[in-house]
Amino acid sequence: MAEPTFIGNWNLFRGSVTDEGREVSVKNSTCRIDNGDAGYVKVKVAGWPDWQATLRLSNESGYVEATGSSANWLTRNYLFFVLSEDGNMFHGAVKQSENDPPFPWWGVRQ
């Protein structure tokens, strides 16, 4: 069986959550994750042509993780993704700056 990978096309969901853990809003988009330089992947989100993140891969937690950032003209985004064991979903978070609370993201493989 092949190792789970982030590489591929994903249905991407971005949402916000209240303090009680209830979902307030969810936005649906798509993203493409490709191989980058050794040990990295690149994330491109549909509809955001100038936005791309470069994430470093790790499996120190026992799961395949990707952490990194994206610099654009407005803010610097910090991302964290954790891939499910079967490779069909990832969960993660995005912060628009180091001091912002994390904003939940998740992806389902297309």
Side-chain angles (χ1 to χ4, degrees):
M1 186 168 113
E3 289 288 316
T5 178
F6 283 106
I7 306 306
N9 294 312
W10 297 86
N11 291 318
L12 178 65
F13 300 93
R14 309 182 305 275
S16 55
V17 177
T18 67
D19 290 332
E20 297 84 31
R22 287 182 294 209
E23 200 170 274
V24 175
S25 66
V26 173
K27 296 179 182 176
N28 188 357
S29 184
T30 59
C31 74
R32 170 85 192 161
I33 301 179
D34 291 307
N35 277 317
D37 295 330
Y40 289 85
V41 293
K42 291 185 179 183
V43 180
K44 293 188 91 169
V45 178
W48 298 355
D50 297 329
W51 193 93
Q52 180 172 296
T54 302
L55 307 180
R56 185 177 73 82
L57 293 173
S58 170
N59 63 358
E60 292 174 9
S61 70
Y63 289 89
V64 179
E65 300 176 351
T67 56
S69 62
S70 170
N72 64 29
W73 66 274
L74 207 54
T75 59
R76 185 168 176 86
N77 298 277
Y78 300 87
L79 296 95
F80 178 73
F81 294 161
V82 178
L83 191 64
S84 65
E85 287 185 13
D86 64 6
N88 290 322
M89 176 178 273
F90 67 76
H91 292 276
V94 142
K95 292 168 58 165
Q96 289 189 324
S97 74
E98 285 185 272
N99 299 324
D100 285 344
F103 189 64
W105 283 29
W106 62 100
V108 178
R109 192 174 296 278
Q110 291 182 345

